[in-house]
Amino acid sequence: MPRIITLTPNPALDYAVHADFVEPNRKIRCRDPQTHPGGGGINVARAASRLGAHALAVFTAGGVYGDALIKAIASENVPMRMIPIAGNTRLAFHVSNHRDDDEYRFNLPGAELSEAERSQFFDAVREETDPGDYVVASGSLPPGAPNDFWAEIAKIVKQKKARFVLDSISGLDAALAEGVYMLRQNEFEYPALSGKTLKWPQEIKDFAQQIVADGKTEAMVISHGADGSIMATKDGLDFAPSYKVRASSAVGAGDSFVGGLLTALARGESNEDALKLGMAAAGATRMSEGTALFKTSDVTNLFENGTPQ
């Protein structure tokens, strides 16, 4: 079974709390603090590991929050390779507002990587990747990162005869020009590539199939919220609906989708079942509070029964 290697050059320590209300110029008393590892690639690795995949999280870390991030990942037994940096890992702060049943999400800027630190990150990808692996570039890039950051990664992955999965809008054009096995976008991200908002489902299906036909990627995946998700390949188009759940938080749902999708593909399952497992993982994460990811039992119930238990 190939590994799922996730890349997170700009991770975060996620900190979530609950508040009875959120108003300006008021002292907001919070409760039930939770701390979890954060950053797109780290969450993908966490999700894939919970679902039984062979995963490896490659990420940077520095400072007090970086130390806490490493401990949080280790507590979940997710295999990791950490690249130490001089700067500080960022904090992402989430507040659930119970009065209005909404959520506030504050993401601080990450640390700028030095040229030497970027080189260490690239070296880690080169050393860890084997033929057939899925290498997932996910989330934002650090401040000051060159526009061809993901393109350089794509080049390395292609040389290693592995599969590069881009789940980011950063450096998109340069990465696509270099070569991408799979591109995943959500309903808010794809317009940067299409140039406009498209109608669901037909216009989006046509767009995804055209991207594949143009040779920009072998697989185009678009997640469209409550409408479901599609995957276009040279063999056709597959669809999986969204699961109806009582949502508590959307944090990590997209990353869980990618983790579920790639776990199924790594097992050799069909594109349709891979989309279905991805949607089940996303739905189960939406059921979890704050920045917590899914419970594996919830994913199984959604996948097998269509409803949460």
Side-chain angles (χ1 to χ4, degrees):
M1 182 177 178
R3 278 199 304 178
I4 298 171
I5 302 173
T6 69
L7 311 179
T8 316
N10 194 31
L13 182 68
D14 281 343
Y15 193 80
V17 295
H18 294 263
D20 291 330
F21 66 91
V22 177
E23 290 182 0
N25 305 315
R26 294 284 303 276
K27 181 181 290 186
I28 310 301
R29 298 192 181 278
C30 302
R31 62 181 184 278
D32 304 324
Q34 296 182 35
T35 303
H36 294 103
I42 289 174
N43 283 339
V44 172
R46 294 169 66 205
S49 292
R50 292 185 189 192
L51 295 172
H54 299 301
L56 173 70
V58 178
F59 62 97
T60 62
V64 174
Y65 294 144
D67 292 341
L69 175 65
I70 295 167
K71 291 179 182 178
I73 297 172
S75 71
E76 296 190 19
N77 298 313
V78 176
M80 71 175 89
R81 177 162 175 175
M82 185 272 293
I83 290 83
I85 60 173
N88 295 315
T89 296
R90 65 193 174 111
L91 181 71
F93 191 68
H94 309 262
V95 182
S96 294
N97 176 12
H98 285 242
R99 184 187 63 187
D100 299 324
D101 194 25
D102 56 22
E103 187 176 48
Y104 292 81
R105 301 164 68 173
F106 304 91
N107 289 336
L108 278 65
E112 185 169 342
L113 303 185
S114 68
E115 185 174 346
E117 290 165 348
R118 290 199 301 271
S119 294
Q120 290 177 39
F121 195 92
F122 294 155
D123 287 343
V125 178
R126 191 176 291 109
E127 293 164 7
E128 295 291 349
T129 304
D130 290 324
D133 286 341
Y134 293 89
V135 181
V136 189
S138 187
S140 62
L141 290 175
N147 190 57
D148 65 350
F149 187 97
W150 291 136
E152 288 297 315
I153 296 288
K155 185 185 300 183
I156 293 169
V157 173
K158 186 162 51 177
Q159 291 169 347
K160 301 292 288 189
K161 301 186 185 306
R163 290 166 281 205
F164 183 59
V165 179
L166 182 60
D167 181 29
S168 174
I169 60 174
S170 302
L172 181 60
D173 291 338
L176 288 177
E178 182 60 43
V180 172
Y181 169 76
M182 177 185 290
L183 174 64
R184 183 259 173 179
Q185 303 270 272
N186 65 30
E187 61 186 310
F188 306 109
E189 294 169 337
Y190 79 81
L193 187 59
S194 66
K196 61 180 180 179
T197 300
L198 303 173
K199 293 181 181 178
W200 175 270
Q202 195 57 52
E203 288 186 354
I204 290 179
K205 290 180 179 179
D206 292 343
F207 167 69
Q209 290 177 308
Q210 189 61 53
I211 290 293
V212 173
D214 290 343
K216 293 183 177 180
T217 180
E218 294 184 39
M220 178 71 183
V221 177
I222 298 181
S223 309
H224 208 261
D227 296 317
S229 295
I230 61 166
M231 180 193 299
T233 66
K234 62 180 178 58
D235 297 322
L237 191 137
D238 292 277
F239 165 76
S242 177
Y243 292 94
K244 297 185 183 300
V245 301
R246 182 176 178 81
S248 178
S249 172
V251 178
D255 302 326
S256 296
F257 169 81
V258 175
L261 173 77
L262 294 179
T263 295
L265 291 177
R267 291 174 181 161
E269 298 176 18
S270 68
N271 291 347
E272 182 180 7
D273 281 346
L275 282 173
K276 184 179 176 182
L277 183 61
M279 294 304 295
T285 291
R286 291 176 63 230
M287 295 164 57
S288 301
E289 290 189 355
T291 57
L293 296 189
F294 58 76
K295 296 177 182 177
T296 306
S297 59
D298 288 333
V299 177
T300 301
N301 287 329
L302 286 174
F303 184 83
E304 294 181 351
N305 306 313
T307 57
Q309 291 283 354

